[in-house]
Amino acid sequence: MKKHYPRGIHKAIADGIGADDLNIRLAALDDPEHGLSEETVNATDVLIWWGHCAHGEVKDEIVNRVHKRVLEGMGLIVLHSGHFSKIFKALMGTSCSLKWRVAGEKERLWNIEPSHPISQGIGEYFELPHVEMYGERFDIPQDGRIIFISWFEGGEIFRSGVAFERGHGKVFYFRPGHETYPIFYDKNVLKVLGNAVRWARPLIYLANTATNVKPLEVIHSQDPNNVSVGAGIAQNAKGNG
Ligand code: ZN
């Protein structure tokens, strides 16, 4: 990994997608609160997540913080082995399992949604000469929009770019990114990441709260034995329904 990314994958990505309209900060597992303090998360529009062996070391408190913020509107881009991260599994609700093989084979990524914001500037397909293979079945929900499908030299296929919405937030999973290959210097990979950041950027943040509300109109059929607030209609007194 150090051979291709002497200063880390996060720095290579930041350098590769850097642009005037992006203000990029770096965060790492070893940083206090993994670099994702409440203040930082709340000041972040789009979070890119790469992780591999240390998913279990990510504190649940931080995962919950990121999860809540995605549901409020923050964009999240999950890369490669991040398919097994706590945050991605929490957002998908499935095992996110897949097949894999490290043989340094070729990958061809087909752009099957050429009108989507994430695939702008990408041709009909692009290729990566040496990759780790990920194969189907990839256990993700069916509500994502598939942007890229990969073919591998060894014969497998994989849904390599899938766009989801979770709450008010946009989530994009992008497959390439094994740490022993220089994937994050590839111009097409960087183009997709830059596009994805701009696609996932929220227009608005909305807090998700359960509120016990009064009715707008008089409720004539009100059950006097089951009222939680004045002339309220909610049957769940604590608003947790
Ligand atoms: Zn890998």
Side-chain angles (χ1 to χ4, degrees), residues 50-52 80-83 100-102 131-134 175-181:
W50 186 97
H52 186 198
H80 188 62
S81 39
H83 72 92
W100 61 277
R101 168 176 68 233
V102 179
V131 303
E132 175 185 21
M133 185 281 296
Y134 277 7
R175 195 211 80 83
H178 189 64
E179 63 273 16
T180 59
Y181 302 111

Side-chain angles (χ1 to χ4, degrees), residues 53-66:
C53 298
H55 295 314
E57 294 174 33
V58 179
K59 294 192 193 85
D60 291 342
E61 177 193 349
I62 307 301
V63 175
N64 293 339
R65 179 182 295 162
V66 171

Side-chain angles (χ1 to χ4, degrees), residues 161-226:
V162 190
F164 297 90
E165 292 182 12
R166 289 293 181 269
H168 303 293
K170 296 195 182 86
V171 178
F172 181 59
Y173 174 78
F174 192 46
R175 195 211 80 83
H178 189 64
E179 63 273 16
T180 59
Y181 302 111
I183 303 287
F184 292 113
Y185 299 103
D186 180 88
K187 69 176 184 2
N188 286 303
V189 168
L190 293 170
K191 181 73 179 165
V192 169
L193 289 181
N195 288 347
V197 165
R198 292 168 179 93
W199 166 81
R201 184 180 185 168
L203 300 175
I204 189 173
Y205 287 99
L206 291 167
N208 296 294
T209 55
T211 311
N212 189 353
V213 296
K214 291 184 177 179
L216 301 181
E217 314 290 343
V218 174
I219 298 174
H220 298 289
S221 59
Q222 182 169 288
D223 176 358
N225 298 315
N226 196 1

Side-chain angles (χ1 to χ4, degrees), residues 63-129:
V63 175
N64 293 339
R65 179 182 295 162
V66 171
H67 192 176
K68 174 174 176 286
R69 196 57 176 161
V70 170
L71 298 182
E72 290 173 350
M74 181 176 75
L76 181 71
I77 296 163
V78 176
L79 302 175
H80 188 62
S81 39
H83 72 92
F84 261 166
S85 63
K86 290 180 180 178
I87 182 61
F88 189 62
K89 290 196 287 186
L91 286 161
M92 295 298 107
T94 53
S95 75
C96 302
S97 61
L98 46 76
K99 289 180 195 156
W100 61 277
R101 168 176 68 233
V102 179
E105 66 205 271
K106 182 164 85 175
E107 175 180 10
R108 182 176 297 137
L109 293 96
W110 287 94
N111 171 7
I112 66 166
E113 289 291 354
S115 62
H116 195 279
I118 291 177
S119 60
Q120 295 311 295
I122 303 296
E124 191 176 15
Y125 65 85
F126 69 97
E127 295 179 345
L128 298 169

Side-chain angles (χ1 to χ4, degrees), residues 32-50:
E33 299 185 76
H34 312 322
L36 298 173
S37 68
E38 187 100 45
E39 186 185 12
T40 298
V41 170
N42 287 343
T44 299
D45 287 328
V46 180
L47 179 60
I48 298 177
W49 192 289
W50 186 97

